[in-house]
Amino acid sequence: MSEQEIIQKYFSRHQSICETVDVSVGDDAAVVRPPENSKLVVTTDTLNVNVHFYPDCKPQYIGHKSLAVNLSDLAAMGAKPIWATLSLSLPNIDHDWLKDFSDGLYALADMHELKIVGGDLVKGPLSITIQVIGSINSNLKLLRKACQLDDLIYVTGYLGDAALGLKLINNNIKFDLKVSDRNYFIQRLQKPIPRLDVSTRIVEYAHAAIDISDGFLIDLQRILTMSNKAAEIDLEKIPVSNEMKNIINQNYDIKNLLIGGEDYELLFTIDPKDKSRLQKHFKKEDIIVTEVGKIVEGIGVTLLNKNKPTDLPEITGFDHFS
């Protein structure tokens, strides 16, 4: 089967034109139309086999995650996704793998009304690069550098579950786990949920934001560095899933939840006066957002345990080149 036949068979579901797309998959390049009175937001992520996923991972999950990590970046900017391009390097043609991969990819794309409008297909080591383009209102955006003194720090969802899933896959940790709990942790790793459900609501009043891909502490530090601020984090407020509570009861240090990465939750800051507004939004929608600390003067992060400073972990997160 030729390159063009593979593209047509597995990656042409969004080939028809629509309101924002004049030319899609099949030509030398896509032709798209940005929404009026908006600015474009562009992000790119590459996922490599044995770095971001293992060869035996379900291809549906690989397709999902390869798009989800990009959508998470758009969520951190307060942007709405519109289009994506896919560059796929394959060592060989496996039709079952391609079908399942594309099913996972398009299921998430359709969930967010995103159109995949082009890309590239080559032979080589398994690698997936996706570029996503979104839009923001010209006056509304979330940036890392914009947190302010006395801001409250919030995170979505739960921390540490995905990192524990990776440890379980690698057999780096031994706990008494129910099969359902083990499956939960591994799925949190392999099928992250981009928090566009939160970012589209808070972009009108939140100050700074970042998605937690490398670890809560290291990603928080990136906001603090760009904003020239410090933070105090209360360990007793860190959101913990019911499955993780069982692990912590087996002497798993809660600080591990702050350094593992792969959460793809949203970390953001708001003015204290907007606290009731935020709580009203998400209590009504049953979306978990948790206040975990505040922005203060100074440099770096202070962890508090029962209102007393406690040591930071030696490693604060993941870095490809460290």
Side-chain angles (χ1 to χ4, degrees):
M1 182 174 281
S2 70
E3 174 186 343
Q4 193 60 41
E5 288 171 328
I6 294 168
I7 293 170
Q8 191 65 35
K9 184 175 178 65
Y10 297 109
F11 301 107
S12 62
R13 301 185 201 186
H14 293 165
Q15 194 168 26
S16 59
I17 63 172
C18 64
E19 183 180 352
T20 63
V21 180
D22 288 345
V23 179
S24 185
V25 176
D27 219 305
D28 289 304
V31 180
V32 295
R33 285 173 282 163
E36 291 186 10
N37 302 317
S38 65
K39 294 182 179 179
L40 296 183
V41 182
V42 183
T43 185
T44 304
D45 271 295
T46 296
L47 277 68
N48 289 327
V49 66
N50 292 319
V51 178
H52 301 94
F53 60 89
Y54 292 113
D56 60 353
C57 181
K58 291 181 179 180
Q60 297 99 319
Y61 290 167
I62 300 173
H64 173 101
K65 187 171 184 177
S66 60
L67 179 57
V69 299
N70 282 277
L71 294 180
S72 186
D73 285 332
L74 286 194
M77 302 293 292
K80 174 181 171 54
I82 310 176
W83 316 292
T85 59
L86 164 69
S87 292
L88 183 60
S89 172
L90 295 172
N92 52 62
I93 301 304
D94 180 332
H95 290 283
D96 290 336
W97 190 96
L98 280 166
K99 179 185 181 305
D100 291 345
F101 171 84
S102 60
D103 283 347
L105 175 72
Y106 279 96
L108 185 60
D110 291 342
M111 184 183 301
H112 295 285
E113 299 180 338
L114 168 78
K115 299 299 182 185
I116 297 171
V117 296
D120 191 26
L121 179 65
V122 299
K123 185 173 183 177
L126 182 56
S127 180
I128 304 137
T129 297
I130 290 184
Q131 180 183 75
V132 174
I133 303 168
S135 68
I136 54 173
N137 181 294
S138 296
N139 299 316
L140 297 176
K141 56 184 174 293
L142 300 173
L143 302 175
R144 296 182 182 185
K145 66 180 182 181
C147 71
Q148 300 178 21
L149 189 63
D150 296 325
D151 271 4
L152 302 178
I153 301 169
Y154 277 82
V155 293
T156 62
Y158 301 114
L159 300 183
D161 292 339
L164 183 58
L166 181 60
K167 290 181 179 180
L168 290 169
I169 288 175
N170 289 330
N171 294 313
N172 287 339
I173 201 162
K174 304 293 182 182
F175 286 115
D176 294 327
L177 280 178
K178 296 185 296 184
V179 173
S180 60
D181 287 355
R182 178 182 175 86
N183 291 341
Y184 164 79
F185 290 122
I186 292 174
Q187 184 159 22
R188 287 282 286 125
L189 169 70
Q190 296 180 336
K191 198 174 180 183
I193 305 300
R195 299 318 300 258
L196 292 156
D197 56 341
V198 172
S199 65
T200 54
R201 300 300 299 272
I202 65 171
V203 68
E204 295 181 1
Y205 58 90
H207 291 156
I210 190 171
D211 75 319
I212 307 172
S213 56
D214 294 327
F216 174 88
L217 286 179
I218 197 170
D219 287 322
L220 172 60
Q221 185 60 61
R222 288 166 177 153
I223 281 183
L224 300 177
T225 298
M226 294 191 70
S227 299
N228 295 312
K229 297 290 188 297
E232 293 179 350
I233 300 298
D234 188 343
L235 284 176
E236 294 179 285
K237 294 183 177 180
I238 297 301
V240 181
S241 66
N242 289 330
E243 292 82 358
M244 182 63 77
K245 287 176 184 176
N246 296 331
I247 300 298
I248 290 175
N249 289 338
Q250 299 181 55
N251 296 318
Y252 188 64
D253 190 345
I254 194 170
K255 292 180 185 177
N256 287 325
L257 278 59
L258 307 181
I259 63 175
E262 297 285 342
D263 290 307
Y264 293 101
E265 296 292 348
L266 199 60
L267 186 163
F268 61 95
T269 75
I270 65 169
D271 190 302
K273 68 179 176 60
D274 289 315
K275 181 175 180 176
S276 60
R277 182 182 184 183
L278 179 138
Q279 291 175 332
K280 182 179 179 181
H281 277 168
F282 298 116
K283 183 177 181 180
K284 181 179 179 181
E285 298 178 16
D286 199 29
I287 294 173
I288 298 169
V289 293
T290 305
E291 178 191 339
V292 296
K294 64 180 180 180
I295 300 296
V296 297
E297 292 280 13
I299 298 174
V301 180
T302 299
L303 289 183
L304 301 175
N305 188 14
K306 301 185 185 304
N307 294 318
K308 295 181 180 180
T310 184
D311 292 337
L312 287 166
E314 291 184 10
I315 298 174
T316 58
F318 175 78
D319 187 318
H320 279 280
F321 300 101
S322 65

